[in-house]
Every structure is written in C-alpha cells, then in structure tokens.
Amino acid sequence: MEILKALLSLLQSDKDRLWPRPSSSSDEAVFFSGFVTLLAEVVINIRTPGGSPIKPLAPPLLECITEISKPRLPEKVYEVVYHTIVRYGMDFEEHLQAVAKETTDVRASVETLYDCFRAIVIDDATSDSTRLRMLEVIERRAYGYSMPESCLQYYQSAG
C-alpha cells in the first residue's frame, strides 16, 4: 500500500512538473507516458485483499491518459495511449464503472477521453499511423472491446 500512496502523492504534488504539454520535449512526454503505463499496470493488476480494484487510482489514471491524449504531442506518447487502451480498455472501463457508483463525473470523463482521441484523428499534424491507431481505439470501444476478426485484420494490414 505504500507504493500506492507514493504514486498518488507523485501525481498530486508533481503534476505541473511531470505532465507533458505540446511544448514538452519528446523525452519529457515519453517519461510521463511510461509513468502512465506503470499506473495502468497497478490499477488493472493489483487488488485489495478482498479482490476489488483499487478505486482511488482509476480516476487519476483516466486523468493521466486524457492528459497525454491531446493533439500535437510526440508520436511515442500516442503509441503508449494506444497500447494501454488496447490492452486494458475493457478492464479499465469496468474499474471506472465501479468507481462511478461513488462519483458521477466518471462517465463524462471517459467521453472526454474519447473526444480527445477524435481530436487527435482530425488534427492536421497527426501522422497517418497515429490517426489509424486512434481510429482503432475508438472502434474497439464501439464494439465493446471485442472487434470482429475482419476489423482486426483491416487494422493489422493497414498499419
């Protein structure tokens, strides 16, 4: 539990220093996206002694993913977002729904995240490969994270 407290403390105290901005260097943005990957692993894989997800970490993870899902960040950051959502999307939304019973703004925050993905898709500076990844993420959610094989083949062949 000390690790979890340290993660939450880091998120709260160093937010201005850690969080990337469009003007951030590629190294800064990649560092933060690595932190988001670690946080996703913790949120999805670590449970309380009763087997429940650790609820206090799900909303900060959503906020972190939303923060690195802004247009005009380095391409490597979008790769992290893509792999995180592809790997944990359904589990992550289930965790957020468990939290949503206690907080009502979670659904709106998830919609904001997907609005960010759409903004990346339509941004002129977005590369074709990132645009394709973000479209796949959006479509995976539309299919309940269980896309038909033909869709998966399309994205694999197009990438």
Side-chain angles (χ1 to χ4, degrees), residues 2-41:
E2 293 300 317
I3 292 173
L4 301 177
K5 288 179 187 175
L7 283 173
L8 281 174
S9 175
L10 182 64
L11 278 174
Q12 293 165 349
S13 66
D14 290 343
K15 185 174 181 176
D16 291 334
R17 184 178 63 83
L18 282 176
W19 292 40
R21 293 161 190 73
S23 62
S24 296
S25 73
S26 181
D27 290 343
E28 290 171 331
V30 171
F31 170 79
F32 185 76
S33 58
F35 176 76
V36 170
T37 301
L38 171 66
L39 188 58
E41 289 284 340

PDB file of all heavy atoms in Angstrom, residues 2-41:
ATOM      1  N   GLU A   2       2.087   1.173   0.474  1.00  0.00           N
ATOM      2  CA  GLU A   2       2.972   2.335   0.474  1.00  0.00           C
ATOM      3  C   GLU A   2       3.280   2.790  -0.954  1.00  0.00           C
ATOM      4  O   GLU A   2       3.380   3.992  -1.228  1.00  0.00           O
ATOM      5  CB  GLU A   2       4.274   2.031   1.231  1.00  0.00           C
ATOM      6  CG  GLU A   2       4.075   1.815   2.721  1.00  0.00           C
ATOM      7  CD  GLU A   2       3.463   3.025   3.416  1.00  0.00           C
ATOM      8  OE1 GLU A   2       3.873   4.160   3.125  1.00  0.00           O
ATOM      9  OE2 GLU A   2       2.561   2.829   4.235  1.00  0.00           O
ATOM     10  N   ILE A   3       3.413   1.828  -1.860  1.00  0.00           N
ATOM     11  CA  ILE A   3       3.667   2.173  -3.256  1.00  0.00           C
ATOM     12  C   ILE A   3       2.494   2.956  -3.823  1.00  0.00           C
ATOM     13  O   ILE A   3       2.673   3.940  -4.535  1.00  0.00           O
ATOM     14  CB  ILE A   3       3.941   0.905  -4.092  1.00  0.00           C
ATOM     15  CG1 ILE A   3       5.266   0.284  -3.677  1.00  0.00           C
ATOM     16  CG2 ILE A   3       3.933   1.219  -5.580  1.00  0.00           C
ATOM     17  CD1 ILE A   3       5.560  -1.047  -4.321  1.00  0.00           C
ATOM     18  N   LEU A   4       1.290   2.538  -3.477  1.00  0.00           N
ATOM     19  CA  LEU A   4       0.100   3.222  -3.981  1.00  0.00           C
ATOM     20  C   LEU A   4       0.021   4.645  -3.453  1.00  0.00           C
ATOM     21  O   LEU A   4      -0.290   5.583  -4.197  1.00  0.00           O
ATOM     22  CB  LEU A   4      -1.157   2.445  -3.601  1.00  0.00           C
ATOM     23  CG  LEU A   4      -1.214   1.015  -4.122  1.00  0.00           C
ATOM     24  CD1 LEU A   4      -2.463   0.312  -3.632  1.00  0.00           C
ATOM     25  CD2 LEU A   4      -1.123   0.986  -5.623  1.00  0.00           C
ATOM     26  N   LYS A   5       0.342   4.805  -2.184  1.00  0.00           N
ATOM     27  CA  LYS A   5       0.362   6.156  -1.609  1.00  0.00           C
ATOM     28  C   LYS A   5       1.406   7.020  -2.309  1.00  0.00           C
ATOM     29  O   LYS A   5       1.171   8.189  -2.585  1.00  0.00           O
ATOM     30  CB  LYS A   5       0.646   6.082  -0.106  1.00  0.00           C
ATOM     31  CG  LYS A   5      -0.509   5.545   0.705  1.00  0.00           C
ATOM     32  CD  LYS A   5      -0.141   5.482   2.174  1.00  0.00           C
ATOM     33  CE  LYS A   5      -1.228   4.797   2.967  1.00  0.00           C
ATOM     34  NZ  LYS A   5      -0.856   4.621   4.364  1.00  0.00           N
ATOM     35  N   ALA A   6       2.561   6.436  -2.612  1.00  0.00           N
ATOM     36  CA  ALA A   6       3.621   7.179  -3.290  1.00  0.00           C
ATOM     37  C   ALA A   6       3.189   7.587  -4.706  1.00  0.00           C
ATOM     38  O   ALA A   6       3.446   8.713  -5.129  1.00  0.00           O
ATOM     39  CB  ALA A   6       4.894   6.339  -3.352  1.00  0.00           C
ATOM     40  N   LEU A   7       2.503   6.691  -5.418  1.00  0.00           N
ATOM     41  CA  LEU A   7       2.016   7.024  -6.761  1.00  0.00           C
ATOM     42  C   LEU A   7       1.015   8.172  -6.716  1.00  0.00           C
ATOM     43  O   LEU A   7       1.095   9.117  -7.500  1.00  0.00           O
ATOM     44  CB  LEU A   7       1.375   5.803  -7.420  1.00  0.00           C
ATOM     45  CG  LEU A   7       2.317   4.747  -7.964  1.00  0.00           C
ATOM     46  CD1 LEU A   7       1.538   3.524  -8.420  1.00  0.00           C
ATOM     47  CD2 LEU A   7       3.156   5.293  -9.097  1.00  0.00           C
ATOM     48  N   LEU A   8       0.064   8.080  -5.790  1.00  0.00           N
ATOM     49  CA  LEU A   8      -0.933   9.152  -5.661  1.00  0.00           C
ATOM     50  C   LEU A   8      -0.264  10.464  -5.273  1.00  0.00           C
ATOM     51  O   LEU A   8      -0.602  11.524  -5.796  1.00  0.00           O
ATOM     52  CB  LEU A   8      -2.001   8.772  -4.636  1.00  0.00           C
ATOM     53  CG  LEU A   8      -3.072   7.812  -5.130  1.00  0.00           C
ATOM     54  CD1 LEU A   8      -3.977   7.394  -3.982  1.00  0.00           C
ATOM     55  CD2 LEU A   8      -3.882   8.424  -6.252  1.00  0.00           C
ATOM     56  N   SER A   9       0.686  10.396  -4.362  1.00  0.00           N
ATOM     57  CA  SER A   9       1.392  11.601  -3.936  1.00  0.00           C
ATOM     58  C   SER A   9       2.161  12.223  -5.096  1.00  0.00           C
ATOM     59  O   SER A   9       2.144  13.435  -5.290  1.00  0.00           O
ATOM     60  CB  SER A   9       2.351  11.253  -2.798  1.00  0.00           C
ATOM     61  OG  SER A   9       3.120  12.367  -2.449  1.00  0.00           O
ATOM     62  N   LEU A  10       2.809  11.380  -5.886  1.00  0.00           N
ATOM     63  CA  LEU A  10       3.553  11.871  -7.044  1.00  0.00           C
ATOM     64  C   LEU A  10       2.617  12.556  -8.033  1.00  0.00           C
ATOM     65  O   LEU A  10       2.915  13.635  -8.542  1.00  0.00           O
ATOM     66  CB  LEU A  10       4.287  10.716  -7.721  1.00  0.00           C
ATOM     67  CG  LEU A  10       5.162  11.063  -8.920  1.00  0.00           C
ATOM     68  CD1 LEU A  10       6.305  11.974  -8.499  1.00  0.00           C
ATOM     69  CD2 LEU A  10       5.703   9.795  -9.548  1.00  0.00           C
ATOM     70  N   LEU A  11       1.480  11.950  -8.277  1.00  0.00           N
ATOM     71  CA  LEU A  11       0.511  12.547  -9.193  1.00  0.00           C
ATOM     72  C   LEU A  11       0.030  13.899  -8.703  1.00  0.00           C
ATOM     73  O   LEU A  11      -0.137  14.833  -9.477  1.00  0.00           O
ATOM     74  CB  LEU A  11      -0.698  11.624  -9.359  1.00  0.00           C
ATOM     75  CG  LEU A  11      -0.546  10.498 -10.345  1.00  0.00           C
ATOM     76  CD1 LEU A  11      -1.761   9.590 -10.288  1.00  0.00           C
ATOM     77  CD2 LEU A  11      -0.357  11.035 -11.742  1.00  0.00           C
ATOM     78  N   GLN A  12      -0.217  14.006  -7.414  1.00  0.00           N
ATOM     79  CA  GLN A  12      -0.773  15.241  -6.864  1.00  0.00           C
ATOM     80  C   GLN A  12       0.280  16.328  -6.700  1.00  0.00           C
ATOM     81  O   GLN A  12       0.062  17.474  -7.052  1.00  0.00           O
ATOM     82  CB  GLN A  12      -1.458  14.950  -5.527  1.00  0.00           C
ATOM     83  CG  GLN A  12      -2.682  14.087  -5.708  1.00  0.00           C
ATOM     84  CD  GLN A  12      -3.166  13.480  -4.405  1.00  0.00           C
ATOM     85  OE1 GLN A  12      -2.495  13.537  -3.388  1.00  0.00           O
ATOM     86  NE2 GLN A  12      -4.344  12.877  -4.441  1.00  0.00           N
ATOM     87  N   SER A  13       1.442  15.982  -6.187  1.00  0.00           N
ATOM     88  CA  SER A  13       2.431  17.007  -5.859  1.00  0.00           C
ATOM     89  C   SER A  13       3.247  17.476  -7.061  1.00  0.00           C
ATOM     90  O   SER A  13       3.642  18.630  -7.129  1.00  0.00           O
ATOM     91  CB  SER A  13       3.374  16.502  -4.768  1.00  0.00           C
ATOM     92  OG  SER A  13       4.153  15.432  -5.251  1.00  0.00           O
ATOM     93  N   ASP A  14       3.523  16.589  -7.992  1.00  0.00           N
ATOM     94  CA  ASP A  14       4.392  16.929  -9.114  1.00  0.00           C
ATOM     95  C   ASP A  14       3.650  17.065 -10.434  1.00  0.00           C
ATOM     96  O   ASP A  14       4.239  16.948 -11.497  1.00  0.00           O
ATOM     97  CB  ASP A  14       5.497  15.878  -9.261  1.00  0.00           C
ATOM     98  CG  ASP A  14       6.499  15.951  -8.135  1.00  0.00           C
ATOM     99  OD1 ASP A  14       6.529  16.985  -7.444  1.00  0.00           O
ATOM    100  OD2 ASP A  14       7.242  14.981  -7.942  1.00  0.00           O
ATOM    101  N   LYS A  15       2.371  17.315 -10.367  1.00  0.00           N
ATOM    102  CA  LYS A  15       1.559  17.373 -11.580  1.00  0.00           C
ATOM    103  C   LYS A  15       2.107  18.381 -12.590  1.00  0.00           C
ATOM    104  O   LYS A  15       2.263  18.064 -13.761  1.00  0.00           O
ATOM    105  CB  LYS A  15       0.116  17.719 -11.207  1.00  0.00           C
ATOM    106  CG  LYS A  15      -0.834  17.682 -12.358  1.00  0.00           C
ATOM    107  CD  LYS A  15      -2.252  17.893 -11.860  1.00  0.00           C
ATOM    108  CE  LYS A  15      -3.235  17.845 -12.993  1.00  0.00           C
ATOM    109  NZ  LYS A  15      -4.603  17.960 -12.547  1.00  0.00           N
ATOM    110  N   ASP A  16       2.431  19.583 -12.145  1.00  0.00           N
ATOM    111  CA  ASP A  16       2.906  20.605 -13.077  1.00  0.00           C
ATOM    112  C   ASP A  16       4.256  20.251 -13.687  1.00  0.00           C
ATOM    113  O   ASP A  16       4.530  20.569 -14.829  1.00  0.00           O
ATOM    114  CB  ASP A  16       3.005  21.965 -12.374  1.00  0.00           C
ATOM    115  CG  ASP A  16       1.643  22.522 -12.032  1.00  0.00           C
ATOM    116  OD1 ASP A  16       0.671  22.171 -12.729  1.00  0.00           O
ATOM    117  OD2 ASP A  16       1.551  23.304 -11.075  1.00  0.00           O
ATOM    118  N   ARG A  17       5.094  19.585 -12.928  1.00  0.00           N
ATOM    119  CA  ARG A  17       6.417  19.232 -13.422  1.00  0.00           C
ATOM    120  C   ARG A  17       6.373  17.999 -14.327  1.00  0.00           C
ATOM    121  O   ARG A  17       7.077  17.929 -15.330  1.00  0.00           O
ATOM    122  CB  ARG A  17       7.349  18.951 -12.245  1.00  0.00           C
ATOM    123  CG  ARG A  17       8.783  18.677 -12.659  1.00  0.00           C
ATOM    124  CD  ARG A  17       9.670  18.446 -11.465  1.00  0.00           C
ATOM    125  NE  ARG A  17       9.300  17.277 -10.696  1.00  0.00           N
ATOM    126  CZ  ARG A  17       9.669  16.030 -10.980  1.00  0.00           C
ATOM    127  NH1 ARG A  17      10.397  15.783 -12.036  1.00  0.00           N
ATOM    128  NH2 ARG A  17       9.312  15.023 -10.211  1.00  0.00           N
ATOM    129  N   LEU A  18       5.537  17.028 -13.998  1.00  0.00           N
ATOM    130  CA  LEU A  18       5.521  15.758 -14.712  1.00  0.00           C
ATOM    131  C   LEU A  18       4.715  15.773 -16.009  1.00  0.00           C
ATOM    132  O   LEU A  18       5.078  15.143 -16.977  1.00  0.00           O
ATOM    133  CB  LEU A  18       4.920  14.661 -13.821  1.00  0.00           C
ATOM    134  CG  LEU A  18       5.795  14.069 -12.742  1.00  0.00           C
ATOM    135  CD1 LEU A  18       4.992  13.086 -11.920  1.00  0.00           C
ATOM    136  CD2 LEU A  18       6.987  13.376 -13.348  1.00  0.00           C
ATOM    137  N   TRP A  19       3.590  16.462 -16.004  1.00  0.00           N
ATOM    138  CA  TRP A  19       2.640  16.313 -17.099  1.00  0.00           C
ATOM    139  C   TRP A  19       3.118  17.005 -18.352  1.00  0.00           C
ATOM    140  O   TRP A  19       3.510  18.161 -18.331  1.00  0.00           O
ATOM    141  CB  TRP A  19       1.282  16.833 -16.664  1.00  0.00           C
ATOM    142  CG  TRP A  19       0.664  15.980 -15.610  1.00  0.00           C
ATOM    143  CD1 TRP A  19       1.315  15.412 -14.558  1.00  0.00           C
ATOM    144  CD2 TRP A  19      -0.679  15.584 -15.507  1.00  0.00           C
ATOM    145  NE1 TRP A  19       0.434  14.692 -13.808  1.00  0.00           N
ATOM    146  CE2 TRP A  19      -0.793  14.782 -14.363  1.00  0.00           C
ATOM    147  CE3 TRP A  19      -1.805  15.838 -16.268  1.00  0.00           C
ATOM    148  CZ2 TRP A  19      -1.994  14.219 -13.966  1.00  0.00           C
ATOM    149  CZ3 TRP A  19      -3.000  15.283 -15.859  1.00  0.00           C
ATOM    150  CH2 TRP A  19      -3.090  14.476 -14.721  1.00  0.00           C
ATOM    151  N   PRO A  20       3.072  16.288 -19.471  1.00  0.00           N
ATOM    152  CA  PRO A  20       3.570  16.866 -20.723  1.00  0.00           C
ATOM    153  C   PRO A  20       2.621  17.906 -21.300  1.00  0.00           C
ATOM    154  O   PRO A  20       1.429  17.897 -21.033  1.00  0.00           O
ATOM    155  CB  PRO A  20       3.666  15.648 -21.655  1.00  0.00           C
ATOM    156  CG  PRO A  20       2.622  14.724 -21.147  1.00  0.00           C
ATOM    157  CD  PRO A  20       2.584  14.933 -19.642  1.00  0.00           C
ATOM    158  N   ARG A  21       3.178  18.792 -22.066  1.00  0.00           N
ATOM    159  CA  ARG A  21       2.422  19.799 -22.788  1.00  0.00           C
ATOM    160  C   ARG A  21       2.870  19.727 -24.240  1.00  0.00           C
ATOM    161  O   ARG A  21       3.914  19.150 -24.524  1.00  0.00           O
ATOM    162  CB  ARG A  21       2.727  21.185 -22.217  1.00  0.00           C
ATOM    163  CG  ARG A  21       2.214  21.374 -20.816  1.00  0.00           C
ATOM    164  CD  ARG A  21       2.926  22.547 -20.140  1.00  0.00           C
ATOM    165  NE  ARG A  21       2.638  22.627 -18.729  1.00  0.00           N
ATOM    166  CZ  ARG A  21       3.111  21.803 -17.805  1.00  0.00           C
ATOM    167  NH1 ARG A  21       3.888  20.830 -18.130  1.00  0.00           N
ATOM    168  NH2 ARG A  21       2.788  21.952 -16.541  1.00  0.00           N
ATOM    169  N   PRO A  22       2.113  20.334 -25.149  1.00  0.00           N
ATOM    170  CA  PRO A  22       2.569  20.302 -26.544  1.00  0.00           C
ATOM    171  C   PRO A  22       3.993  20.831 -26.719  1.00  0.00           C
ATOM    172  O   PRO A  22       4.707  20.394 -27.601  1.00  0.00           O
ATOM    173  CB  PRO A  22       1.554  21.191 -27.260  1.00  0.00           C
ATOM    174  CG  PRO A  22       0.313  21.024 -26.446  1.00  0.00           C
ATOM    175  CD  PRO A  22       0.795  20.913 -25.013  1.00  0.00           C
ATOM    176  N   SER A  23       4.423  21.726 -25.835  1.00  0.00           N
ATOM    177  CA  SER A  23       5.783  22.260 -25.938  1.00  0.00           C
ATOM    178  C   SER A  23       6.821  21.368 -25.253  1.00  0.00           C
ATOM    179  O   SER A  23       8.006  21.656 -25.295  1.00  0.00           O
ATOM    180  CB  SER A  23       5.832  23.662 -25.319  1.00  0.00           C
ATOM    181  OG  SER A  23       5.491  23.587 -23.947  1.00  0.00           O
ATOM    182  N   SER A  24       6.381  20.297 -24.619  1.00  0.00           N
ATOM    183  CA  SER A  24       7.301  19.404 -23.913  1.00  0.00           C
ATOM    184  C   SER A  24       8.267  18.749 -24.892  1.00  0.00           C
ATOM    185  O   SER A  24       7.932  18.506 -26.044  1.00  0.00           O
ATOM    186  CB  SER A  24       6.538  18.289 -23.195  1.00  0.00           C
ATOM    187  OG  SER A  24       5.705  18.795 -22.200  1.00  0.00           O
ATOM    188  N   SER A  25       9.435  18.443 -24.375  1.00  0.00           N
ATOM    189  CA  SER A  25      10.374  17.693 -25.200  1.00  0.00           C
ATOM    190  C   SER A  25       9.844  16.265 -25.327  1.00  0.00           C
ATOM    191  O   SER A  25       9.038  15.808 -24.527  1.00  0.00           O
ATOM    192  CB  SER A  25      11.758  17.671 -24.555  1.00  0.00           C
ATOM    193  OG  SER A  25      11.765  16.820 -23.429  1.00  0.00           O
ATOM    194  N   SER A  26      10.339  15.589 -26.331  1.00  0.00           N
ATOM    195  CA  SER A  26       9.930  14.205 -26.538  1.00  0.00           C
ATOM    196  C   SER A  26      10.283  13.351 -25.325  1.00  0.00           C
ATOM    197  O   SER A  26       9.500  12.511 -24.900  1.00  0.00           O
ATOM    198  CB  SER A  26      10.617  13.653 -27.782  1.00  0.00           C
ATOM    199  OG  SER A  26      10.226  12.330 -28.028  1.00  0.00           O
ATOM    200  N   ASP A  27      11.447  13.593 -24.731  1.00  0.00           N
ATOM    201  CA  ASP A  27      11.867  12.823 -23.558  1.00  0.00           C
ATOM    202  C   ASP A  27      10.916  13.018 -22.383  1.00  0.00           C
ATOM    203  O   ASP A  27      10.582  12.069 -21.680  1.00  0.00           O
ATOM    204  CB  ASP A  27      13.286  13.199 -23.132  1.00  0.00           C
ATOM    205  CG  ASP A  27      14.336  12.719 -24.117  1.00  0.00           C
ATOM    206  OD1 ASP A  27      14.021  11.838 -24.943  1.00  0.00           O
ATOM    207  OD2 ASP A  27      15.458  13.234 -24.061  1.00  0.00           O
ATOM    208  N   GLU A  28      10.490  14.251 -22.137  1.00  0.00           N
ATOM    209  CA  GLU A  28       9.559  14.521 -21.030  1.00  0.00           C
ATOM    210  C   GLU A  28       8.237  13.805 -21.257  1.00  0.00           C
ATOM    211  O   GLU A  28       7.672  13.199 -20.347  1.00  0.00           O
ATOM    212  CB  GLU A  28       9.302  16.025 -20.899  1.00  0.00           C
ATOM    213  CG  GLU A  28      10.478  16.812 -20.392  1.00  0.00           C
ATOM    214  CD  GLU A  28      10.243  18.314 -20.502  1.00  0.00           C
ATOM    215  OE1 GLU A  28       9.493  18.752 -21.400  1.00  0.00           O
ATOM    216  OE2 GLU A  28      10.812  19.036 -19.679  1.00  0.00           O
ATOM    217  N   ALA A  29       7.721  13.893 -22.468  1.00  0.00           N
ATOM    218  CA  ALA A  29       6.441  13.269 -22.771  1.00  0.00           C
ATOM    219  C   ALA A  29       6.540  11.748 -22.677  1.00  0.00           C
ATOM    220  O   ALA A  29       5.632  11.095 -22.161  1.00  0.00           O
ATOM    221  CB  ALA A  29       5.963  13.692 -24.159  1.00  0.00           C
ATOM    222  N   VAL A  30       7.640  11.197 -23.151  1.00  0.00           N
ATOM    223  CA  VAL A  30       7.820   9.751 -23.082  1.00  0.00           C
ATOM    224  C   VAL A  30       7.982   9.301 -21.632  1.00  0.00           C
ATOM    225  O   VAL A  30       7.447   8.265 -21.227  1.00  0.00           O
ATOM    226  CB  VAL A  30       9.008   9.303 -23.959  1.00  0.00           C
ATOM    227  CG1 VAL A  30       9.361   7.846 -23.731  1.00  0.00           C
ATOM    228  CG2 VAL A  30       8.677   9.542 -25.428  1.00  0.00           C
ATOM    229  N   PHE A  31       8.688  10.081 -20.814  1.00  0.00           N
ATOM    230  CA  PHE A  31       8.816   9.764 -19.395  1.00  0.00           C
ATOM    231  C   PHE A  31       7.434   9.686 -18.747  1.00  0.00           C
ATOM    232  O   PHE A  31       7.114   8.729 -18.047  1.00  0.00           O
ATOM    233  CB  PHE A  31       9.668  10.818 -18.675  1.00  0.00           C
ATOM    234  CG  PHE A  31       9.637  10.659 -17.177  1.00  0.00           C
ATOM    235  CD1 PHE A  31      10.410   9.705 -16.548  1.00  0.00           C
ATOM    236  CD2 PHE A  31       8.809  11.460 -16.402  1.00  0.00           C
ATOM    237  CE1 PHE A  31      10.380   9.548 -15.162  1.00  0.00           C
ATOM    238  CE2 PHE A  31       8.763  11.303 -15.022  1.00  0.00           C
ATOM    239  CZ  PHE A  31       9.543  10.348 -14.407  1.00  0.00           C
ATOM    240  N   PHE A  32       6.610  10.672 -18.999  1.00  0.00           N
ATOM    241  CA  PHE A  32       5.284  10.687 -18.393  1.00  0.00           C
ATOM    242  C   PHE A  32       4.434   9.538 -18.917  1.00  0.00           C
ATOM    243  O   PHE A  32       3.719   8.906 -18.151  1.00  0.00           O
ATOM    244  CB  PHE A  32       4.569  12.018 -18.643  1.00  0.00           C
ATOM    245  CG  PHE A  32       3.245  12.095 -17.934  1.00  0.00           C
ATOM    246  CD1 PHE A  32       3.191  12.320 -16.573  1.00  0.00           C
ATOM    247  CD2 PHE A  32       2.061  11.929 -18.629  1.00  0.00           C
ATOM    248  CE1 PHE A  32       1.977  12.370 -15.908  1.00  0.00           C
ATOM    249  CE2 PHE A  32       0.846  11.992 -17.972  1.00  0.00           C
ATOM    250  CZ  PHE A  32       0.800  12.214 -16.615  1.00  0.00           C
ATOM    251  N   SER A  33       4.529   9.243 -20.196  1.00  0.00           N
ATOM    252  CA  SER A  33       3.734   8.145 -20.736  1.00  0.00           C
ATOM    253  C   SER A  33       4.184   6.804 -20.140  1.00  0.00           C
ATOM    254  O   SER A  33       3.370   5.916 -19.925  1.00  0.00           O
ATOM    255  CB  SER A  33       3.760   8.129 -22.259  1.00  0.00           C
ATOM    256  OG  SER A  33       5.065   8.022 -22.748  1.00  0.00           O
ATOM    257  N   GLY A  34       5.475   6.674 -19.828  1.00  0.00           N
ATOM    258  CA  GLY A  34       5.950   5.481 -19.125  1.00  0.00           C
ATOM    259  C   GLY A  34       5.358   5.388 -17.735  1.00  0.00           C
ATOM    260  O   GLY A  34       4.986   4.303 -17.267  1.00  0.00           O
ATOM    261  N   PHE A  35       5.242   6.530 -17.067  1.00  0.00           N
ATOM    262  CA  PHE A  35       4.599   6.566 -15.754  1.00  0.00           C
ATOM    263  C   PHE A  35       3.137   6.128 -15.868  1.00  0.00           C
ATOM    264  O   PHE A  35       2.627   5.387 -15.031  1.00  0.00           O
ATOM    265  CB  PHE A  35       4.694   7.982 -15.175  1.00  0.00           C
ATOM    266  CG  PHE A  35       3.994   8.154 -13.872  1.00  0.00           C
ATOM    267  CD1 PHE A  35       4.546   7.662 -12.699  1.00  0.00           C
ATOM    268  CD2 PHE A  35       2.771   8.797 -13.800  1.00  0.00           C
ATOM    269  CE1 PHE A  35       3.896   7.811 -11.486  1.00  0.00           C
ATOM    270  CE2 PHE A  35       2.123   8.951 -12.599  1.00  0.00           C
ATOM    271  CZ  PHE A  35       2.684   8.453 -11.436  1.00  0.00           C
ATOM    272  N   VAL A  36       2.460   6.556 -16.922  1.00  0.00           N
ATOM    273  CA  VAL A  36       1.057   6.173 -17.141  1.00  0.00           C
ATOM    274  C   VAL A  36       0.951   4.662 -17.352  1.00  0.00           C
ATOM    275  O   VAL A  36       0.038   4.018 -16.835  1.00  0.00           O
ATOM    276  CB  VAL A  36       0.452   6.955 -18.328  1.00  0.00           C
ATOM    277  CG1 VAL A  36      -0.905   6.411 -18.721  1.00  0.00           C
ATOM    278  CG2 VAL A  36       0.357   8.433 -17.979  1.00  0.00           C
ATOM    279  N   THR A  37       1.904   4.091 -18.080  1.00  0.00           N
ATOM    280  CA  THR A  37       1.904   2.640 -18.282  1.00  0.00           C
ATOM    281  C   THR A  37       2.035   1.914 -16.953  1.00  0.00           C
ATOM    282  O   THR A  37       1.314   0.955 -16.681  1.00  0.00           O
ATOM    283  CB  THR A  37       3.050   2.233 -19.231  1.00  0.00           C
ATOM    284  OG1 THR A  37       2.882   2.908 -20.470  1.00  0.00           O
ATOM    285  CG2 THR A  37       3.075   0.742 -19.462  1.00  0.00           C
ATOM    286  N   LEU A  38       2.946   2.376 -16.105  1.00  0.00           N
ATOM    287  CA  LEU A  38       3.109   1.781 -14.774  1.00  0.00           C
ATOM    288  C   LEU A  38       1.816   1.906 -13.974  1.00  0.00           C
ATOM    289  O   LEU A  38       1.359   0.944 -13.355  1.00  0.00           O
ATOM    290  CB  LEU A  38       4.258   2.456 -14.023  1.00  0.00           C
ATOM    291  CG  LEU A  38       4.396   2.068 -12.548  1.00  0.00           C
ATOM    292  CD1 LEU A  38       4.765   0.608 -12.396  1.00  0.00           C
ATOM    293  CD2 LEU A  38       5.406   2.963 -11.853  1.00  0.00           C
ATOM    294  N   LEU A  39       1.210   3.068 -13.994  1.00  0.00           N
ATOM    295  CA  LEU A  39      -0.035   3.284 -13.256  1.00  0.00           C
ATOM    296  C   LEU A  39      -1.135   2.368 -13.774  1.00  0.00           C
ATOM    297  O   LEU A  39      -1.906   1.802 -12.989  1.00  0.00           O
ATOM    298  CB  LEU A  39      -0.444   4.754 -13.352  1.00  0.00           C
ATOM    299  CG  LEU A  39      -1.611   5.205 -12.488  1.00  0.00           C
ATOM    300  CD1 LEU A  39      -1.340   4.942 -11.006  1.00  0.00           C
ATOM    301  CD2 LEU A  39      -1.884   6.685 -12.719  1.00  0.00           C
ATOM    302  N   ALA A  40      -1.216   2.190 -15.096  1.00  0.00           N
ATOM    303  CA  ALA A  40      -2.221   1.286 -15.670  1.00  0.00           C
ATOM    304  C   ALA A  40      -2.011  -0.142 -15.179  1.00  0.00           C
ATOM    305  O   ALA A  40      -2.974  -0.832 -14.820  1.00  0.00           O
ATOM    306  CB  ALA A  40      -2.169   1.334 -17.192  1.00  0.00           C
ATOM    307  N   GLU A  41      -0.756  -0.581 -15.139  1.00  0.00           N
ATOM    308  CA  GLU A  41      -0.454  -1.927 -14.633  1.00  0.00           C
ATOM    309  C   GLU A  41      -0.923  -2.080 -13.187  1.00  0.00           C
ATOM    310  O   GLU A  41      -1.503  -3.092 -12.815  1.00  0.00           O
ATOM    311  CB  GLU A  41       1.050  -2.209 -14.719  1.00  0.00           C
ATOM    312  CG  GLU A  41       1.577  -2.393 -16.112  1.00  0.00           C
ATOM    313  CD  GLU A  41       1.235  -3.737 -16.725  1.00  0.00           C
ATOM    314  OE1 GLU A  41       0.909  -4.689 -15.997  1.00  0.00           O
ATOM    315  OE2 GLU A  41       1.289  -3.831 -17.954  1.00  0.00           O
TER     316      GLU A  41
END
